[in-house]
Amino acid sequence: MTNTLPTIFVDADACPVKPEILKVAERHGLPVTFVANSGLRPSRDPMIRNVIVSGAFDAADNWIIDNVGEGDIVITADVPLAGRTVAKGAHVTGPTGQLFDQTNIGMASAMRDLGAHLRETGESKGYNAAFSPRDRSAFLETLDRLCRRAKNARSAP
């Protein structure tokens, strides 16, 4: 590992925790890269980078995959993207604080596929639970822990 700081990569389209990401990143002194297909609020902070990709299918996901490195942090609700970034050695969490890693990404993928099948067959309406204050709190705790873990791994000899 190098001594460079880990970067936080955010699958930013419809990400409900952008302010929380900035708060935790600032506390840890980590750079953040928001990747989206459309409008992101500009920032003068040199630690924040906004990347606008084309509207092509998976363009944001592919950009993140091309730029994420081992030990970086990825925030996404997209299970396939989570799987791809876990495979590259990134620390990955969803906006509700759900961790994705080698031990659970297979199950998360299977549950996603099952949910899609149930929606396609009409067995499930596919409603997602509303994003709650508990989700926000869990996310903050998880991201703070991932930032400490990622920084410690980068500074280890």
Side-chain angles (χ1 to χ4, degrees), residues 16-17 75-77 93-99 130-132 134-140 142:
V17 289
I75 300 162
T76 184
T93 184
T96 61
Q98 178 184 7
L99 279 174
F131 191 74
S132 71
R134 174 179 272 159
D135 294 330
R136 196 173 304 280
S137 178
F139 172 77
L140 281 166
T142 299

Side-chain angles (χ1 to χ4, degrees), residues 20-132:
E20 290 80 3
I21 294 165
L22 295 174
K23 178 178 162 183
V24 174
E26 182 177 9
R27 184 169 55 239
H28 287 278
L30 296 179
V32 177
T33 300
F34 290 105
V35 184
N37 298 105
S38 60
L40 291 170
R41 183 170 295 178
S43 173
R44 292 180 185 209
D45 186 334
M47 296 293 279
I48 299 170
R49 179 178 178 200
N50 290 333
V51 176
I52 305 294
V53 297
S54 76
F57 183 73
D58 279 349
D61 297 3
N62 292 334
W63 192 95
I64 291 170
I65 289 299
D66 290 344
N67 290 276
V68 72
E70 182 177 347
D72 285 332
I73 298 166
V74 175
I75 300 162
T76 184
D78 182 326
V79 175
L81 175 58
R84 293 170 69 192
T85 55
V86 163
K88 289 195 78 170
H91 304 278
V92 186
T93 184
T96 61
Q98 178 184 7
L99 279 174
F100 296 104
D101 59 25
Q102 292 291 343
T103 67
N104 69 3
I105 195 64
M107 182 60 76
S109 295
M111 293 303 293
R112 176 191 173 276
D113 294 345
L114 176 61
H117 174 73
L118 292 174
R119 285 188 300 278
E120 288 169 4
T121 61
E123 295 291 321
S124 170
K125 299 283 188 226
Y127 300 120
N128 291 328
F131 191 74
S132 71

